Amino acid sequence: MRRLTYIYAILFIMAIVFVVVNCTDEDLVKNGQENMEEFSIQEAKDYFQVQMAENLILSRSLSSEDNKTVSPGDFIPDWDIAVGASMNELASYSIPITPTCRFKAIYVDIYNGIPSVGKVNVYQKLVIVKDTKSKKLS
C-alpha cells in the first residue's frame, strides 16, 4: 500500500514540474501589432469619413429601393482608444463606438410544434481593414 502511495506522489510531483516548466507568458496566437506602420489610425479615420460622406443615409425608411438594410443609426467612433492588429497581409483597427440607439432582433423558435418568440440585443462594432499587399481598405 505504501509503495502505491509513493508512486502516486512521484507522478503528482512530476506532473506539477511538467506544468510549471511548460508555462509561458506568450500568447498562443500573436496579433502582430508591431507592424502597424503600413496602416495608420489617421488613414483609417480618413477612409471612414469619406465612406460616411458617400454612403450617408438621409432617411430611416426601409421602403425605398436603395435602403434595404437596417441602418446602424448615428454613432460616435472613439478614435483615441482604437486597437490595431495585423496578421499576414491584413491590418485592421477595431474602433469602439457610442451609438445613439440600440437594436434588438426578434427570432422565432419552434419546439415540439409550439412556436416561441424571443429577442436578443444586436451589438455594433466598427472595424476598418486594409490589405497591405493591394492597399485596399474596407
Side-chain angles (χ1 to χ4, degrees):
M1 187 69 175
R2 278 190 167 185
R3 184 174 180 194
L4 190 60
T5 305
Y6 288 131
I7 291 174
Y8 283 137
I10 290 173
L11 288 175
F12 182 71
I13 291 171
M14 287 176 54
I16 289 176
V17 169
F18 179 75
V19 169
V20 170
V21 169
N22 287 314
C23 289
T24 63
D25 289 336
E26 298 176 14
D27 291 334
L28 183 60
V29 178
K30 296 181 181 180
N31 61 3
Q33 289 185 2
E34 64 274 357
N35 297 328
M36 293 301 289
E37 66 268 359
E38 297 174 359
F39 185 37
S40 67
I41 189 70
Q42 186 60 42
E43 185 180 2
K45 188 175 184 178
D46 293 341
Y47 174 76
F48 174 73
Q49 289 173 346
V50 167
Q51 289 299 312
M52 281 297 289
E54 289 177 2
N55 300 319
L56 184 64
I57 299 172
L58 298 175
S59 172
R60 292 190 181 206
S61 169
L62 296 177
S63 61
S64 67
E65 287 291 324
D66 297 334
N67 189 6
K68 293 187 177 182
T69 61
V70 176
S71 168
D74 298 327
F75 59 89
I76 302 166
D78 194 353
W79 297 99
D80 295 332
I81 56 174
V83 176
S86 67
M87 183 174 268
N88 298 333
E89 283 137 11
L90 291 178
S92 67
Y93 282 102
S94 176
I95 302 104
I97 62 172
T98 306
T100 56
C101 58
R102 302 193 188 273
F103 294 100
K104 291 190 181 276
I106 298 174
Y107 65 91
V108 177
D109 283 333
I110 299 177
Y111 295 108
N112 297 329
I114 301 170
S116 65
V117 178
K119 60 184 174 180
V120 294
N121 292 328
V122 176
Y123 296 100
Q124 303 176 62
K125 187 175 188 178
L126 175 61
V127 178
I128 299 177
V129 179
K130 179 180 182 180
D131 184 349
T132 57
K133 194 173 191 179
S134 67
K135 307 294 184 204
K136 291 185 180 181
L137 289 149
S138 69

